[in-house]
Amino acid sequence: MLEKPHDGWCHMQLFDVDIVLDADWDDDNPFDWLQACQVGVEKQLPATLIFKSEFREIVMIADDNHTKIWTDDGFDDNKSLLVYDNYNIEHLTEDIFMDINRDFDDWIKEWIVYGFQSSHRQYDDFMYKMSIQGQFFRETEQIEMRLKTALRKMESALLKRKWKRK
């Protein structure tokens, strides 16, 4: 579903939806997606996730039975609603967890580079300067802990739900 983020962008493909997302770190997108899934799974409520690109916005609502994806292409008010009956909140939660967990270091690197408005070419210089000042380690550690915590909370909620169902 989510590919490895790179230069502030992340490719997402799910069924008929294929979009290059703006990894808008100012809006805490990865954390918002994880939290929405966690709360939805824990409280047995639909999870609503928003994915943005330069010209499009996608709203995904997943519940226990299906997933609805509302797309807006941003050009001529062309909107559509796609419904997938065999893809529910548990599937969505597992996919997001696996994708972010798989590329964990890249999400952290993107967050730091994008957050400080650097490019990947400047990343080595940036890391050197930040490590000298002692800030890089603290910033990286805080972001890593925040993302690890969000991933583990979501995973825990999903495992509890599956366990209760048995």
Side-chain angles (χ1 to χ4, degrees), residues 5 32 42-43 57 102 107 111 114 139 150 155 158 164:
D32 290 345
E42 281 180 346
K43 307 286 185 190
E57 183 173 280
R102 176 193 65 222
W107 284 96
W111 187 286
Y114 192 80
E139 293 289 332
E155 180 183 37
L158 185 61
K164 286 181 181 179

Side-chain angles (χ1 to χ4, degrees), residues 116 129-141:
F116 286 95
K129 288 176 187 174
M130 293 301 285
S131 65
I132 288 173
Q133 298 170 358
Q135 294 174 349
F136 176 75
F137 179 76
R138 287 190 299 275
E139 293 289 332
T140 302
E141 189 176 58

